[in-house]
Structures are given as C-alpha cells and as structure tokens.
Amino acid sequence: MSLFGKLEDTPLKEILQVLVASRVSGRLRLTARDREGIVVLREGKIVYAASSAARQTLGNLLLLDGLVSEHQLADALDRQHAAREEQRLGGILVEMGAIDETTLARVVRQQTERVMTEFLTWTTGHFKLDRLAIENLGEIEVDAHEFLMREGLSTDDLLTDLQAKIDAFQNEEGDPAKTGPITL
C-alpha cells in the first residue's frame, strides 16, 4: 500500500485511523512550507514522533522538569560518548539511578503527545508513508532515537485524547494553527 497526498484532502487523524486499522508499520513523513515531521508506527502504534517545530532533546526535557541535575546529565552524556557501542541516553540515566523506567516512559510519552498535538493542527501540507519492517523493540533509523517508545501508544486513544484537547483549546483561544502549538 502506497499512501501519499495532501493534508487538505485527507486530515492526519483520518490517515492515522487507516494506519491503525491496517496495523501498518512504517514512517509517515509530513511536510509543509515551513515545517516538517515524522511519525513512526509499529503495527499501527506510534513509537516515535518528531517535528522541526516542537523538538527538544530528552536530556533537556529531563533537566527542565527538574528530574536530573546538570551534573547527572553531563555525566550521562560523557558515558554515552565514551561507550564503544551506541547507547540511549535514557537507558544510561536509568542505569546510573538518576531516573527510573517509569519516569523515562512518562517524559517520552509527554514529548510524543506534544509533537502529535502539533501535527493534528496542521491543515495544509503533504504526507507520504514509507512502509518499513520494524521489529518488536527493534531499533529504527531516526535522528533522535532516544524518543522511541518501546511499547508504543494506542493511536486511537491518543487521537481521541488529543482531539479533545485541541477542541477545548480552540473553544477558548481560537485556531491553534494561527496561534502556534498547544501546550499540554
């Protein structure tokens, strides 16, 4: 199945619903005049999302939320850099005892929700699906793989929750496409 088109013709929510129902694994690329993004799905579940407009590193998110100290983050980054094999920053921080798996999963989920919320406000642009074989818990080629979610999110639940937030925001503030991304 090759899937591509314009968001003006097929809103992202509808595209994702088709991908969920079909249990698609692949990379959905989103492009617009001034921004771009990517959503990676494994069997219809979102495992990664990144946007050129709403992107922060995992370390910075943990630091800003007060979940790690600057010293812990610097130490983890040093360990990551010195490792012979590539290691994820989150895994290093868990190994160091700086954070636990639950905290790491929560921060990754929050970042993914922020990005998906932004994407759901896009009314113009293009989309293209590249089908990929993504193994369970396997690695994928993305530029910020520390945000890869091991278990994935229920895309249906995520879309329902985020649409409710978008609707509430639009009722209070107006059109988020004109005012910028919604803060969760």
Side-chain angles (χ1 to χ4, degrees):
M1 165 174 75
S2 180
L3 186 63
F4 59 91
K6 292 183 175 184
L7 294 171
E8 297 94 300
D9 300 332
T10 311
L12 180 59
K13 184 176 179 180
E14 290 178 25
I15 296 163
L16 290 171
Q17 288 170 335
V18 168
L19 300 178
V20 168
S22 304
R23 296 184 52 116
V24 167
S25 293
R27 177 178 46 229
L28 183 64
R29 295 178 188 270
L30 305 170
T31 57
R33 181 182 53 81
D34 58 346
R35 59 193 182 257
E36 59 185 281
I38 183 174
V39 178
V40 179
L41 298 107
R42 179 188 301 123
E43 296 182 8
K45 289 187 175 183
I46 297 168
V47 295
Y48 176 82
S51 166
S52 62
R55 180 165 177 218
Q56 286 199 33
T57 65
L58 176 63
N60 196 44
L61 289 171
L62 292 168
L63 189 62
L64 291 173
D65 287 348
L67 299 171
V68 297
S69 68
E70 287 189 36
H71 176 73
Q72 289 171 315
L73 180 57
D75 187 26
L77 289 169
D78 287 345
R79 290 179 189 202
Q80 185 181 38
H81 181 72
R84 290 183 182 193
E85 293 183 21
E86 187 174 343
Q87 293 183 338
R88 291 185 184 172
L89 180 62
I92 294 169
L93 288 164
V94 169
E95 185 178 289
M96 290 171 47
I99 59 172
D100 59 32
E101 288 277 349
T102 303
T103 300
L104 176 61
R106 179 176 50 80
V107 171
V108 170
R109 179 185 176 95
Q110 288 171 342
Q111 175 64 3
T112 302
E113 287 179 354
R114 285 182 191 115
V115 172
M116 291 304 300
T117 300
E118 178 213 340
F119 290 160
L120 289 171
T121 66
W122 292 18
T123 56
T124 61
H126 295 84
F127 64 89
K128 181 179 180 186
L129 175 71
D130 300 316
R131 283 186 163 266
L132 300 171
I134 302 173
E135 296 179 27
N136 276 347
L137 303 180
E139 296 297 322
I140 58 172
E141 291 294 322
V142 293
D143 61 334
H145 60 272
E146 65 261 27
F147 284 112
L148 177 68
M149 299 182 68
R150 291 196 180 276
E151 295 298 324
L153 298 175
S154 165
T155 306
D156 286 334
D157 292 346
L158 177 67
L159 291 173
T160 300
D161 293 346
L162 296 181
Q163 190 62 54
K165 290 177 183 179
I166 290 169
D167 292 343
F169 180 81
Q170 287 175 332
N171 288 337
E172 292 176 15
E173 302 292 331
D175 184 0
K178 294 178 184 171
T179 59
I182 298 169
T183 312
L184 299 176

